[in-house]
Amino acid sequence: MKNFLLILALLLSFSAQAAENPESYYVPPQQFSAALQVMDMGFANVFALFQNATGSFSFDEGGKSLSRLRLALDAGSMTSGNSGSQRDLANMLGVMQYPEIRVTAPDSVSFTDGKAEVKATVTLHGASKPVTFEAVLNHVGKSPNAGGMWSSEGDAVGISLKGAFKRADFGMSDDPETPGRFGDTMTLMLEMQGLRQ
């Protein structure tokens, strides 16, 4: 009985340590798709894609929890469907003055039925504001993108994030040359495959 209680205590201790020390994941640029969506003159949404983005997060597979989320988007790498939209969006974002968009969420959040709300801080256009993202846990498993030849290597987590915010909250006013072109609500969409470190 004594031995059983000792083993049980050790197992509980190990589980507690595992819960306190979730695995770290890195999101390389080639496994990160980031887009910004905003209404264009009330007719249709226009999309901007960021060609260079990276990040990291911690994930506890047992508790299906995400924490220590840190993402960085290179605003200067933004492209759009046509040069006019790209120029006007770049002016609105002020990419020359504010070359990086950051998303941080240090607190832990658990997924229920593959979904969660992530309360993050977005730093954009020189301002940092709270933004809530709808998160979807897409898949947890082995990925050929992670490489590795040992059984413990190749672990990956796929997560989608989508958050909407008012551009006025970030001090993004209309371009005098194109007043009223863009709607006030912007949506940031982030698709990530994190590779276990």
Side-chain angles (χ1 to χ4, degrees):
M1 184 68 174
K2 233 181 197 182
N3 287 340
F4 173 75
L5 291 175
L6 180 60
I7 292 169
L8 182 61
L10 288 171
L11 286 172
L12 290 173
S13 172
F14 179 77
S15 297
Q17 287 176 2
E20 291 171 6
N21 299 301
E23 298 293 342
S24 296
Y25 289 80
Y26 165 64
V27 186
Q30 61 269 28
Q31 301 303 326
F32 196 148
S33 296
L36 189 68
Q37 171 188 334
V38 64
M39 183 59 71
D40 185 4
M41 299 182 70
F43 290 110
N45 284 294
V46 62
F47 292 87
L49 302 177
F50 298 92
Q51 296 181 314
N52 190 20
T54 187
S56 64
F57 58 82
S58 294
F59 183 75
D60 174 29
E61 186 174 353
K64 295 290 188 289
S65 63
L66 174 75
S67 61
R68 297 195 292 254
L69 178 72
R70 292 174 303 197
L71 309 174
L73 285 63
D74 177 6
S77 72
M78 183 188 69
T79 62
S80 189
N82 64 66
S83 58
S85 294
Q86 184 170 322
R87 180 195 63 239
D88 292 344
L89 284 168
N91 287 339
M92 184 175 64
L93 292 173
V95 299
M96 296 299 289
Q97 189 175 357
Y98 310 106
E100 186 176 85
I101 298 169
R102 291 194 306 272
V103 178
T104 57
D107 295 338
S108 179
V109 60
S110 296
F111 289 89
T112 302
D113 296 326
K115 295 182 180 178
E117 280 194 352
V118 176
K119 297 187 183 305
T121 298
V122 173
T123 301
L124 171 68
H125 198 254
S128 296
K129 299 288 182 180
V131 175
T132 299
F133 286 83
E134 298 171 7
V136 176
L137 179 60
N138 298 317
H139 186 61
V140 179
K142 300 291 183 184
S143 169
N145 296 310
M149 58 192 302
W150 310 109
S151 61
S152 62
E153 296 180 324
D155 292 344
V157 175
I159 295 173
S160 299
L161 296 174
K162 184 177 181 181
F165 52 89
K166 299 291 186 184
R167 66 181 174 91
D169 291 343
F170 290 86
M172 288 185 284
S173 57
D174 285 333
D175 188 323
E177 294 182 14
T178 56
R181 175 172 183 182
F182 296 119
D184 192 37
T185 299
M186 306 184 82
T187 302
L188 195 57
M189 294 166 286
L190 308 170
E191 298 287 333
M192 304 173 289
Q193 183 180 146
L195 309 180
R196 182 175 163 181
Q197 297 301 287

